[in-house]
Every structure is written in C-alpha cells, then in structure tokens.
Amino acid sequence: MLTVERLEVRYGGIHAIKGVSLSIARGQIATMLGANGAGKTTTLRTISGLVKASRGTIRFEDVELTNRPPHEIVALGVGQAPEGRMIFANLTVKENLEMGAYLRKNRAEIQNDLDFVFSIFPRLRERIKQPGGTLSGGEQQMLAIGRALMTRPRLLLLDEPSLGIAPILVKTIFEKIQEINRELGMTILLVVETGELMIEGKASEIAKNEGVRKAYLGET
Amino acid sequence: MSELLQQIINGISLGSIYALIALGYTMVYGVLRFINFPHGDAFMVGAFVGYYAAPRIVPLVGGSLLIAGPITLLLSMLVCSALGVTIEKLAYRPLRPRPKLTILITAIGISLFLEFGGQLVFGPDPKSFPTLLPSAVIINTPNLVLRSTPVIVIATTVGLMLLLRFIVMKTKLGTAMRAVSYNQSAASLMGINIDTVISFTFVLGSSLAAAAGILYGSLYPSINPLMGVFPGLKAFISAVLGGIGNIPGAAIGGFIIGLIETFVTGYLSPTYRDAIAFGILILILLFKPSGILGRAESEKV
Ligand SMILES: Nc1ncnc2c1ncn2[C@@H]1O[C@H](COP(=O)(O)OP(=O)(O)OP(=O)(O)O)[C@@H](O)[C@H]1O
Ligand SMILES: [Mg+2]
C-alpha cells in the first residue's frame, strides 16, 4: 500500500535521513522503531509532504506522493497525527474535528465518523465546546488521533501517540489504535519510542524489515 | 457635555477607519507573521476607486445614494481584493521560505511603489471626494451638530465587523484561517490548502481597507496618493495595541487610538495629533508588547 524507497532528506546541511526504505501492506499496523534523532518523524513528515525529499520515492496505492503538497496527500488518503499533537489550541474540540473533515462534503459520512471518534474517545464528546488548548495531554492526543481520523485516511500515520502521556492512558490509546484498525480496516503506521512497544502479537513490525533495521536501528 | 459627546462621535468615526485598516494588518500577520506595509496604500487605492467610480455610478442609478453607496463600496472592495491577492501571489509567495526581513523589505518597496505609482497615475494633487453618504443634519443644538455621515460610517463599520466575525468564527474558510494562523503544518495535515487560505485572508483584509478608504473619503473629503501613510501607521499601532494577530484586539485598538487622537487634538493641541500615536506605540512596546488582548505565551511555530 505504501512503498518508500531510498528516501533521503536534508535540513539545510543536516542529512536527517540517508536512504530509508519501507513498505506496508493494506490492513496492517506497522510499527517503526528507532532511537531519538534516527529520523522517524522526518520520515512521516516527508510522507505527508511537510518536508521535501532530496532523493528517493514515496508511492501510495500506485500514486507517486514524493514532493506533492501536503493537502493533496491528505486528499489521496494519507492522514497523520503528528508528533507533539499540534492541536489547534485556539479552536474548540468540535472545530478541531471539523478541520479534519475539511476536504469532505458528505455530511452524513462526516457525522458517522464523528460518532465513531466519540465512541472510541467519549472524553472528547464531554469536552466538545472547550478550546483544544485547555485539554490535558492525553485528551489532546485523543483529539489529534480523532482529527486525523476525520480526514478519513486509508493510511493513518501516528507519530509517538504515547509521548508525554500517563502509562495507564498509553495502554488505552494503543487499544484504541487497534480498535480503529479492526473496526475501520484502516492501515496504520505507528512510530513508537524504542522499548515502549505495547502492542503485541497482531502488529507486524516493519522494524523487522531489513532496510528499516539498517536505517533506524543500525545507526545512531 | 455636548462638546464631549461631539468629540466622542468624532473619535469613534476616526477610530472606525483605523479599526477597519488594523483588522487587515492583524489578519495578515496572523497567517504570515509579518507586517504587510502596503496595506495602508490599499486603503488609498480604495478611496481612489470611489473617487473615480462614484461620479459614474451615481447617475446610473438615478442619483440615489442609497444604491450608489453600497455599489461603490462593493466595487472598491473588489478592486482592492484583487490588488491584495496579486501582491501576495507575485511578491510574497515566492519569498515565503526566505527570511522575514526579505519579505519586510519587499513589502516596504511595494508600499513605496503604490504611493509613487499613485502620484503618477492619479496625480499628486489632493482631490475632493464625491458625496456618497447623505450628510443631513440629524441633531442641531448650539453645542452639538450631529450629521448623518459619521453615524453611517460607524454603522457601516460595525456591520462589517459583525460580518467579519461571522466569517471568521462560523464558516469553514474562517475556521481554516484560524487554524492556519495557529499552526500551518497541522493545518496542511487536515488537507487545508495554505495558499488558498492566505489569499482569502488578503481578500478579507483588503476589502476592509477599501471600505475604510471610502468611509474616510466621505468623512474627510480630500484624498491624495499619500493619504494612506499616516492612517496606515496609526492602524498598525492600533493592531499592536490590541495585540497583533488578535482580531477583536485590532478593532478595539482602532477605536482607542481614534478616540485618543481626537481628544488630544481637541483638548490639548492639534500639534500632537500624529505624535500621540507613536507615543502610545512606544509605551505598548515598553510595558505590554503583547497588547491588550494579545496572548502572553510565546509565539507558536
Ligand atoms: N527542522 C529541522 N532542522 C534541522 N534539523 C532537523 C530538523 N528536524 C529534525 N532535524 C534533525 O534530523 C534528525 C532526525 O530528526 P527526527 O525528528 O526525524 O528524529 P526522530 O527519529 O523522530 O526522533 P525522536 O525519537 O526524538 O522523535 C535529527 O538529528 C534532528 O536533529
Ligand atoms: Mg520524532
């Protein structure tokens, strides 16, 4: 479903990733592991078009994504809940979720997905009129995932959804991620901090993929 | 007492002009994080569109100001929107990845271009703005003369502000604008086309500047190609006073600066008219750089 080949990204003079290759099959929860600074976030940002690739290709369902603008990539079906959550603090919970549905027209489907988001994260429904910035860290993470779900992606990229969240909530969030994968058949690429992997069994780790192991676990 | 009332009305109508211009500064700052200097000149262009269009529109609608006024206003808003969007597309967009200073200098260049281009095209001499708003005397006492012009100016301003509030708070594009001004990366991950939102912001800001130009011409009927310089600066100061990037703040700041300027001119001395705004700017920058409604937190992104 997603194939990344020999991806290289530079920030000015800094060579942030040097030749990452990975591929993900439909319906999978793939996990990406790696030390701090290994380039996990950079890889996701490049897939979403927030950062330009200096070399390599990204293909999604036979469509070339490499260096397209981010809004087109979302339209093609790749959603992301970015590292650090990036909730719109000045928008209410409802508005945050509505922004997720920005490109969508079908009101009934939007309402359906909204109901789904509330069914997995009931806390968000209670906070619906509150500005996003007033939510707790865990609630913001739920909102970030919910907002990405509202783009109705076929591939969902989640960058360290457990970052800065109480251990008890981390478990819940990972359960919800599995639920999303199961209920919606959504393919998920999950970035986890090394040693923090909570999903067992079902997830097939792309970390086991040779290219990725070289890219992430070999170096640094 | 009536003297005071008179000054307050004058202050609020002048403040309306500053507030309308200030809204454009603050909205563009919100999405692009820089001061769009030519904005004051868009206000001038708005007035000149009115100057040229009104004498042609008024006879077309049988001399009715009630119809000619809004049509002229809309036309001017349209022309200035096109101007604002064009400046953004041609000058700012290609420079967006560059350092802010580059864009700032470009902005100043465009501002000078419009001011001196305006002198070339419209002529440098002051022109008298055609009558677009009825100026009937509503109240006439020895101490207070209230004409309809300032009342219409204030009412139009309030109407436009309510419309803006609706657009920004209730529509999808307005919400996207707030999202973009908070975090561009996150907004683009929602599928929002940042360029569209920025263009839309320029449409809103330039439209309000155009309206300010028409209303200003109706209040103080002498216009010239450099007329945007001081109102532009004072509107910018209003936006800073209200908290740059903050929409209600810009409106409040505009009214405050308009009132203070009118009071200083009326009760102290007209000499300080222009100086007072800069004095206020220095005070804000010294004591509360985030402005009245500005967020205290450090800038995001
Ligand atoms: N905007 C930037 N400018 C310059 N260098 C950057 C930028 N963003 C990331 N880098 C560098 O690129 C490298 C990869 O960073 P990235 O954020 O992708 O790592 P990561 O694997 O997500 O790390 P973490 O586990 O800490 O989140 C790091 O060395 C980082 O310092
Ligand atoms: Mg990271």
Side-chain angles (χ1 to χ4, degrees):
Chain A
M1 181 177 222
L2 180 81
T3 317
V4 174
E5 273 172 357
R6 293 185 302 278
L7 187 67
E8 294 187 31
V9 176
R10 290 167 187 277
Y11 294 107
I14 301 164
H15 208 162
I17 52 178
K18 311 172 187 173
V20 168
S21 299
L22 58 91
S23 73
I24 301 168
R26 188 182 309 277
Q28 212 179 13
I29 298 181
T31 32
M32 186 192 281
L33 306 171
N36 293 125
K40 306 178 296 293
T41 298
T42 303
T43 305
L44 293 205
R45 289 176 68 85
T46 314
I47 294 172
S48 283
L50 293 172
V51 175
K52 295 269 164 282
S54 55
R55 213 174 262 169
T57 54
I58 304 163
R59 296 182 70 76
F60 173 68
E61 295 179 333
D62 301 321
V63 183
E64 175 95 31
L65 291 191
T66 328
N67 295 346
R68 274 181 193 256
H71 61 96
E72 280 183 31
I73 293 173
V74 174
L76 285 166
V78 181
Q80 180 177 167
E83 185 178 61
R85 309 185 276 261
M86 295 192 190
I87 288 308
F88 303 118
N90 55 338
L91 268 54
T92 64
V93 167
K94 179 100 186 295
E95 287 170 334
N96 268 278
L97 293 169
E98 281 168 357
M99 283 295 101
Y102 184 79
L103 290 175
R104 299 172 57 191
K105 300 270 183 296
N106 188 325
R107 279 165 186 272
E109 278 178 24
I110 294 174
Q111 189 55 48
N112 256 345
D113 288 356
L114 207 54
D115 291 341
F116 177 76
V117 170
F118 289 144
S119 75
I120 51 170
F121 300 125
R123 191 73 71 84
L124 292 181
R125 196 200 294 273
E126 297 162 24
R127 302 276 185 271
I128 190 153
K129 289 210 170 99
Q130 220 167 293
T134 63
L135 298 186
S136 76
E139 289 164 352
Q140 287 194 12
Q141 189 59 61
M142 297 173 193
L143 183 54
I145 297 172
R147 195 177 62 170
L149 283 176
M150 293 304 294
T151 66
R152 194 162 250 246
R154 291 190 297 287
L155 171 65
L156 176 61
L157 313 175
L158 298 173
D159 196 345
E160 298 201 39
S162 51
L163 194 71
I165 288 176
I168 183 151
L169 250 181
V170 170
K171 195 156 178 290
T172 318
I173 289 213
F174 282 140
E175 278 165 14
K176 298 302 180 185
I177 290 168
Q178 283 176 291
E179 198 175 322
I180 291 163
N181 170 255
R182 217 175 33 238
E183 303 278 317
L184 303 178
M186 197 177 280
T187 314
I188 295 174
L189 172 55
L190 180 63
V191 167
V192 246
E193 236 167 72
T194 320
E196 204 186 47
L197 194 59
M198 306 271 298
I199 297 174
E200 284 148 17
K202 283 178 192 150
S204 45
E205 299 169 20
I206 56 159
K208 284 178 184 146
N209 172 309
E210 270 309 302
V212 176
R213 181 176 313 195
K214 247 182 248 144
Y216 292 111
L217 309 179
E219 288 183 12
T220 66
Chain B
M1 187 61 213
S2 327
E3 161 79 10
L4 180 67
L5 196 60
Q6 182 95 62
Q7 295 291 4
I8 290 177
I9 291 166
N10 292 346
I12 295 180
S13 45
L14 179 62
S16 297
I17 307 291
Y18 293 160
L20 287 175
I21 308 174
L23 286 166
Y25 275 118
T26 230
M27 284 191 287
V28 168
Y29 183 88
V31 293
L32 287 177
R33 296 288 186 274
F34 78 93
I35 305 304
N36 176 32
F37 283 106
H39 190 59
D41 306 301
F43 155 79
M44 174 274 291
V45 171
F48 271 94
V49 172
Y51 170 79
Y52 287 110
R56 288 164 179 79
I57 293 174
V58 172
L60 269 183
V61 296
S64 160
L65 294 184
L66 215 62
I67 305 173
I71 294 180
T72 310
L73 188 70
L74 277 179
L75 180 72
S76 175
M77 288 168 117
L78 223 65
V79 171
C80 283
S81 295
L83 177 71
V85 168
T86 308
I87 292 173
E88 191 275 320
K89 271 214 170 99
L90 295 185
Y92 300 152
R93 194 169 297 180
L95 295 178
R96 226 181 276 158
R98 300 295 178 83
K100 282 279 152 10
L101 187 63
T102 315
I103 307 180
L104 222 56
I105 291 169
T106 307
I108 293 172
I110 296 166
S111 177
L112 293 172
F113 173 79
L114 290 176
E115 284 158 21
F116 294 102
Q119 295 197 335
L120 207 68
V121 178
F122 310 134
D125 48 310
K127 307 248 183 324
S128 81
F129 195 80
T131 307
L132 254 187
L133 306 184
S135 66
V137 174
I138 303 178
I139 299 173
N140 194 358
T141 67
N143 295 330
L144 177 73
V145 181
L146 180 58
R147 293 187 166 276
S148 54
T149 317
V151 175
I152 298 174
V153 166
I154 296 167
T156 309
T157 301
V158 171
L160 288 171
M161 284 175 175
L162 291 177
L163 182 65
L164 178 72
R165 190 187 153 72
F166 175 79
I167 292 173
V168 172
M169 299 308 290
K170 300 285 178 217
T171 68
K172 203 165 166 183
L173 255 177
T175 310
M177 205 174 110
R178 285 182 287 140
V180 168
S181 87
Y182 191 78
N183 188 327
Q184 275 197 19
S185 300
S188 58
L189 286 179
M190 304 295 102
I192 296 171
N193 183 342
I194 305 293
D195 288 343
T196 309
V197 171
I198 289 173
S199 295
F200 179 66
T201 308
F202 273 81
V203 166
L204 290 181
S206 310
S207 300
L208 295 177
I214 299 285
L215 298 178
Y216 184 92
S218 303
L219 275 176
Y220 317 101
S222 169
I223 65 169
N224 70 77
L226 297 183
M227 66 183 272
V229 178
F230 272 102
L233 279 170
K234 289 170 188 168
F236 165 63
I237 294 170
S238 308
V240 175
L241 173 63
I244 190 88
N246 185 297
I247 294 179
I252 293 169
F255 288 121
I256 293 178
I257 298 283
L259 279 165
I260 293 180
E261 186 178 317
T262 307
F263 278 108
V264 167
T265 313
Y267 292 110
L268 280 174
S269 153
T271 324
Y272 299 128
R273 220 189 107 132
D274 293 332
I276 186 71
F278 297 99
I280 294 172
L281 178 64
I282 293 169
L283 290 180
I284 315 161
L285 293 180
L286 279 177
F287 296 108
K288 198 163 189 306
S290 59
I292 300 173
L293 298 183
R295 275 176 283 171
E297 68 188 88
S298 63
E299 190 175 297
K300 280 274 310 179
V301 182

